[in-house]
Amino acid sequence: MADRFFTAGPLAPGEFVLTGPDAHHLASVRRFAPGDRVTLFNGDGREYPAEVLAADRKHVSLNVMAAVEVDRELGFELVVASAVPKGDRADYLVEKLTELGTTRFVPLLTARSVVVPKSVDKFERAVIEASKQCGRNRLMRVGPPEKWDAFARRTDLPPAKLLLHTADAEPLPPLNRSGGVVFAVGPEGGFSLDEVAAGLAAGWRALSLGPRILRVETAAAAAVVWAQTYRCPS
C-alpha cells in the first residue's frame, strides 16, 4: 500500500507522465528507478499498476499496465459533520475518518466553535495522503464549512441523523444503515442546548457515546467504527 501515488488527472493503460508533488516524492524522496513497480490512483475507484520508465525531480514517465477495480468502500453512505479541533488534531480527524471509510466530511460551525476554516484545501490534501496509506481508491469528499442550524435542516442527508450529545442522551443503539448514516459532532464545549433543540426539531436523534467526555476527533472516529459494527439484524 505504501507505493501508491496520486494524480488528479485521468488514467488508462499506456504511457503516463506523473508531475507535481507526487512525482517529486516518487523520484527524489522514495528514489524509485526505471523498472520499479508502483500503483497510481485518481479517486475513480480503480488502481493502476505501473512501471517506472524514467524519472527526474519534476516528471516521472510510467507505463500503466492495467486498470484494476478494487472496492474498499463501506457499501453505505457515512457522513460526518463535525466542529474542527485545533492544530494538528484537525489533520488527525480527517486522516482517521478517511482510513475508517467515511464517505463525506463537513466542517461544522457552531456556537462554541473555536476553529473557523477559511478553506478546505488542507483537508483535501490530508484525504489524499491518508488514501495512499490505507488503500482507498475513492476519496472522502470534503464539503465547505456549514453553520449547524442550516446543516441540520438539509433535506439531502441520510435518514439516520444522529447528533452526538453528552447530557440526557440515550446510548447508541443498533442501526438500520441501509439508507446511510450522518453524525453531527460538536466542538470541545459540545452543542449548546439551543443547537440540540434545533437538531431535534429537524428530525435528528440525540445519542451518547458514554459517560466520559471525548475529544472531537475521538468522538468522530468512535462513532464511525460503531456505525460499521452495530447494525440491526437484516
Side-chain angles (χ1 to χ4, degrees):
M1 292 300 180
D3 298 339
R4 287 164 49 88
F5 298 89
F6 177 79
T7 176
L11 287 166
E15 189 167 345
F16 176 77
V17 178
L18 182 68
T19 60
D22 271 42
H24 171 77
H25 187 72
L26 189 156
S28 300
V29 179
R30 298 294 306 281
R31 297 186 182 277
F32 282 97
D36 288 338
R37 300 289 180 87
V38 299
T39 298
L40 304 177
F41 73 107
N42 63 1
D44 69 357
R46 302 178 182 89
E47 292 180 345
Y48 296 82
E51 179 181 344
V52 177
L53 300 176
D56 59 36
R57 291 183 179 182
K58 295 183 178 180
H59 305 85
V60 179
S61 295
L62 304 109
N63 176 36
V64 177
M65 295 176 287
V68 183
E69 294 281 351
V70 181
D71 185 6
R72 299 190 178 99
E73 299 304 301
L74 293 178
F76 65 98
E77 185 178 12
L78 182 52
V79 180
V80 173
S82 174
V84 178
K86 296 179 182 178
D88 292 342
R89 290 168 48 211
D91 291 338
Y92 181 90
L93 168 66
V94 173
E95 176 184 278
K96 299 311 168 191
L97 291 181
T98 302
E99 290 178 19
L100 291 167
T102 305
T103 54
R104 180 158 57 103
F105 169 64
V106 178
L108 272 189
L109 305 179
T110 71
R112 295 171 179 160
S113 289
V114 175
V115 177
V116 179
K118 294 183 178 179
S119 80
V120 297
D121 293 350
K122 182 179 179 182
F123 298 149
E124 290 173 340
R125 289 194 297 271
V127 169
I128 291 170
E129 293 304 314
S131 297
K132 291 180 189 178
Q133 182 275 324
C134 74
R136 285 186 74 174
N137 294 312
R138 294 195 182 278
L139 302 180
M140 179 178 76
R141 303 186 305 277
V142 179
E146 293 192 44
K147 293 183 178 180
W148 165 244
D149 286 348
F151 183 80
R153 296 193 301 271
R154 288 182 59 163
T155 59
D156 60 344
L157 298 174
K161 301 189 295 184
L162 309 177
L163 184 156
L164 300 184
H165 189 45
T166 56
D168 300 324
E170 61 180 306
L172 290 170
L175 262 186
N176 180 350
R177 62 193 190 198
S178 59
V181 183
V182 55
F183 287 103
V185 183
E188 297 298 341
F191 288 106
S192 70
L193 294 180
D194 287 344
E195 287 173 328
V196 173
L200 296 177
W204 290 71
R205 188 175 179 182
L207 297 173
S208 170
L209 287 172
R212 293 166 301 281
I213 305 299
L214 305 180
R215 288 187 180 273
V216 173
E217 63 274 22
T218 307
V224 169
V225 171
W226 170 84
Q228 297 178 50
T229 307
Y230 297 101
R231 60 172 176 166
C232 292
S234 55

